[in-house]
Amino acid sequence: MGCLAGLGWFILLVAVVNIEAQNKPPIKINSKCLGNLLRVDVSRLGGSFLEVSAVINNSSIILTPSLSSKCGFTIKKDHLGNAVIYASVQNCFAQNVDDKAFTTKLGLRLQSDNVVDKFYLVEETCYYSSWASREIICKPNYMEVSVKKAAPNDYNLPAYPYSDPRKAAEQPMDASLKIATVVFLTPEERVMQVDEAQRNGYGISSTLTRLVLRSPNPSRETYTKDVAGVPMTVLSTSIIFEKTKLTTPLYAGAACPQAQGGVFFTETSIRGFLPRPHCPL
């Protein structure tokens, strides 16, 4: 009799769980392109745990905090059960077509004690061709700078080379040149080979027309500078491209306002300030 009573409680518990699962509204997923960023909104998560992965070549790679900052992803979740995912269109896993079309695939896995795991695939192609010579993305977990590499027909050049690495963007770059060294122009200059920089959490890539450098935030190679009263986190580098005995430097720098320095809250408003001239760059 006791066994039957226990079985009855078990059946009742299963029934309650099934009813809760059926009554729980399905999650809502929206994605949209915002210039050089992809935004994915995931709502109605309830108490489910959200695991985000990048999908490439039919394989899923879980976006850990360190990989997210290295590859250009930011994941935020609020207390209401909603999540927002931001991805740089030039993230590590994007399919890039001529630096104009960028396709990102994300896997969203929901895990809950009462519900079987569910997997959702999100795929979005962002078209973005109006690149500036330098574009910067500032996120809480990373800084990204994307710099144009000059094409042979972009400029009429003098016969002598430039000594300033900031002027290197005005020199045509041989497509066969490969990134070899990263020189961090912090108050104390530091030189890293590409593989060392990547081991330290930096994302570095070279596309058909652009150089992309991504730094975790914070990092040892960034520094703080006051610009027009706003504290900025500054990343300043010279990227060295090499081919046999030929070397070409390309300057890549970014400056992002620190969270506590450029935003002010009142009872009725939120105000943000950015300095008009970015002196560190």
Side-chain angles (χ1 to χ4, degrees), residues 61-106:
I61 302 173
I62 297 175
L63 294 176
T64 62
S66 59
L67 186 60
S68 295
S69 61
K70 183 177 182 179
C71 285
F73 295 90
T74 301
I75 304 168
K76 299 189 298 183
K77 185 177 179 181
D78 62 27
H79 65 283
L80 298 176
N82 304 310
V84 180
I85 305 164
Y86 287 98
S88 165
V89 296
Q90 293 184 296
N91 68 77
C92 299
F93 308 103
Q95 180 182 351
N96 181 345
V97 179
D98 298 329
D99 285 335
K100 296 179 180 179
F102 305 86
T103 300
T104 299
K105 295 182 182 180
L106 295 177

Side-chain angles (χ1 to χ4, degrees), residues 233-255:
T233 299
V234 180
L235 173 69
S236 183
T237 69
S238 180
I239 310 296
I240 309 300
F241 289 75
E242 292 184 359
K243 175 189 176 184
T244 315
K245 296 182 179 181
L246 176 65
T247 62
T248 299
L250 181 59
Y251 178 77

